[in-house]
Amino acid sequence: MKKIPDKNGRFGIYGGKFAPETLMAPIEQLQNAYFTIGKSSEFKKELNYYLKFYAGRPTPLYFAKDFSQYIGCHVYLKREDLAFTGSHKINNTLGQVLLAKKMGKTRIIAEKGAGEHGVATAAAAALFKLECEIYMGEVDVQRQSLNVYRMKLLGAKVNCVKSGSKTLKDAINEALRDWISSFKTTHYVIGSVVGFHPFPVMVRDFQSVIGRETKKQILKAEKRLPDYLVACVGGGSNSLGLFHPFYNYKNVKFIGVEAAGKGLDTDYHSATLCKGSPGILHGSFSYILQDNDGQIHPTHSISAGLDYPGTGPEHSFYKDSGRAEYHAMTDQQVLNAFHLLSELEGIIPALESAHAVSYLIENKKRFNPDDIIVVCLSGRGDKDVGEVARIEGVSL
């Protein structure tokens, strides 16, 4: 059987390193460091220490009793919202910033959409005493103002990107420009399973702690593996973190949920896997949203973290191979899920996570009473309360 990914970071036809010549040296340096330092028992031991005592792992696998009754089967929530800084993003940033420090880097840069990655990067940089600079689209600065302030509290400089669509895609563009000119001292902490090799593999590996914990927890709770794993997909790190440790268990079905925005029949969505086609974006060959000339389509989502016109190469491989299925939920469906989970379980989900929750609500007839479903609750909704209130016309 052909190894996936191969030594060049290819998931079948997807992945690779489509980078300018000026970035090949730092990319190769990072690849060598990750597959030596990052795979060493010493590094893993140190990272596990910080994951446990700093980030608060393991996160609980919570049986959502009332929500389960509503859906009609057994629904568990993997509570990444309870990890330090409020989402799964801390798993990856601790790993990358620790690796950067061991590589002798003194400065960290990152991009952000919803802001959770930016906050987690700023926290990890503060912990390991490295300079930190964050790039964020102007649209996302406005709708995620609380997270902007949190990053500044943690000592990071936040750069507002006013070019292009002023969202995550453009923040990544600016971060890449910075890295090209500063890589001798700087490490770029990519926040998802996108970009050129080794980022998709490295980020997935750091996030796979989610799935490893889930496997142990569900076997203890139910004495068997789940029937379904459900998670939102933008770039796709929380979903792959949950899915990957279950890859060889073919009876465990993977469901990824994208942002349908105002509808898949409109131009206002971010449903890359549902509506996109293979192409190159930010150094990797994967599904992207593009026109017939290969120009990137503008995107839309109520959730800043899913407002991106691409996805990870491993997700693209899962789609083509049939290992995972992908669906998309509209902004209104997501808002309904945001309210319903809050009311039934007393848990306010991030708007990103509410996409996964909304899929169960809209498709509950699909599931049997004995089915076990694990939903990755990738982040908490505190950051989104102000934006939801604004959308719904509620004065705070």
Side-chain angles (χ1 to χ4, degrees):
M1 182 177 177
K2 189 175 181 181
K3 185 178 179 183
I4 301 294
D6 64 19
K7 64 180 181 180
N8 297 314
R10 289 278 191 171
F11 298 86
I13 64 172
Y14 300 106
K17 298 178 196 170
F18 296 89
E21 187 177 348
T22 50
L23 272 182
M24 291 309 293
I27 291 170
E28 293 294 335
Q29 181 190 51
L30 175 62
Q31 182 176 333
N32 292 335
Y34 176 63
F35 288 105
T36 53
I37 299 170
K39 292 294 186 179
S40 68
S41 57
E42 179 184 355
F43 179 87
K44 290 178 181 179
K45 182 178 179 180
E46 188 171 356
L47 177 58
N48 286 338
Y49 171 84
Y50 288 108
L51 287 171
K52 180 177 180 179
F53 294 106
Y54 184 76
R57 305 207 70 89
T59 58
L61 184 67
Y62 174 70
F63 176 62
K65 181 180 177 181
D66 291 334
F67 187 64
S68 293
Q69 289 180 343
Y70 182 87
I71 300 299
C73 60
H74 304 268
V75 181
Y76 287 81
L77 306 177
K78 182 55 173 165
R79 298 291 307 275
E80 293 302 294
D81 59 312
L82 296 180
F84 179 55
T85 69
S87 80
H88 71 292
K89 295 294 187 180
I90 193 69
N91 306 324
N92 172 51
T93 61
L94 283 175
Q96 285 201 52
V97 176
L98 178 61
L99 181 63
K101 182 159 187 167
K102 292 185 179 299
M103 292 170 66
K105 305 297 182 181
T106 59
R107 178 173 176 263
I108 295 296
I109 60 173
E111 85 298 326
K112 58 170 261 162
E116 295 296 340
H117 173 59
V119 173
T121 301
L127 173 66
F128 294 116
K129 303 298 181 286
L130 300 180
E131 180 186 352
C132 184
E133 200 159 337
I134 308 292
Y135 290 90
M136 187 174 185
E138 184 179 31
V139 170
D140 297 332
V141 167
Q142 294 170 357
R143 61 182 172 181
Q144 294 294 330
S145 58
L146 175 61
N147 274 341
V148 173
Y149 186 59
R150 291 172 73 198
M151 286 183 282
K152 292 179 179 178
L153 280 175
L154 290 163
K157 177 183 178 182
V158 180
N159 296 307
C160 180
V161 177
K162 299 182 179 182
S163 60
S165 61
K166 306 176 185 178
T167 56
L168 180 58
K169 171 180 68 71
D170 309 288
I172 292 176
N173 290 340
E174 291 302 318
L176 284 171
R177 291 188 184 99
D178 184 320
W179 199 31
I180 287 173
S181 64
S182 65
F183 64 81
K184 289 184 179 179
T185 59
T186 300
H187 173 63
Y188 175 23
V189 181
I190 288 183
S192 195
V193 287
V194 298
F196 25 72
H197 183 62
F199 281 108
V201 174
M202 180 172 63
V203 176
R204 178 204 68 191
D205 289 351
F206 286 142
Q207 291 294 359
S208 288
V209 64
I210 301 171
R212 293 195 301 271
E213 289 177 3
T214 297
K215 189 185 298 182
K216 292 178 181 178
Q217 291 166 325
I218 198 65
L219 286 172
K220 183 176 181 180
E222 294 281 356
K223 305 299 186 291
R224 70 178 182 89
L225 295 177
D227 298 287
Y228 298 91
L229 302 177
V230 185
C232 66
V233 179
S237 65
N238 89 95
S239 43
L240 277 185
L242 178 63
F243 294 170
H244 181 67
F246 292 88
Y247 180 80
N248 291 321
Y249 297 91
K250 302 303 181 183
N251 290 332
V252 181
K253 300 177 182 66
F254 300 167
I255 300 176
V257 186
E258 297 188 298
K262 296 182 180 180
L264 293 181
D265 57 345
T266 74
D267 291 330
Y268 299 93
H269 63 77
S270 302
T272 306
L273 289 155
C274 293
K275 298 289 285 186
S277 57
I280 296 172
L281 177 65
H282 295 137
S284 178
F285 185 71
S286 64
Y287 275 83
I288 61 176
L289 292 172
Q290 60 185 330
D291 62 22
N292 292 333
D293 296 321
Q295 298 300 306
I296 300 302
H297 269 307
T299 56
H300 164 80
S301 173
I302 194 173
S303 56
L306 302 185
D307 199 350
Y308 180 65
T311 194
E314 190 165 357
H315 277 297
S316 300
F317 173 74
Y318 282 9
K319 172 184 170 66
D320 284 4
S321 66
R323 183 60 186 93
E325 58 184 87
Y326 296 92
H327 305 274
M329 308 307 295
T330 67
D331 288 348
Q332 188 56 57
Q333 290 169 328
V334 169
L335 284 172
N336 294 342
F338 181 86
H339 285 287
L340 185 64
L341 192 68
S342 299
E343 294 166 6
L344 288 180
E345 294 293 344
I347 298 171
I348 304 173
L351 285 172
E352 292 78 12
S353 312
H355 282 72
V357 175
S358 68
Y359 177 80
L360 299 188
I361 295 170
E362 299 297 329
N363 295 276
K364 60 182 180 179
K365 291 182 180 179
R366 169 179 180 171
F367 304 107
N368 299 315
D370 292 334
D371 283 344
I372 299 171
I373 303 173
V374 174
V375 177
C376 187
L377 203 70
S378 58
R380 69 187 187 209
D382 305 46
K383 67 180 179 60
D384 296 315
V385 170
E387 178 68 3
V388 172
R390 183 192 68 78
I391 291 170
E392 297 181 339
V394 177
S395 298
L396 297 178

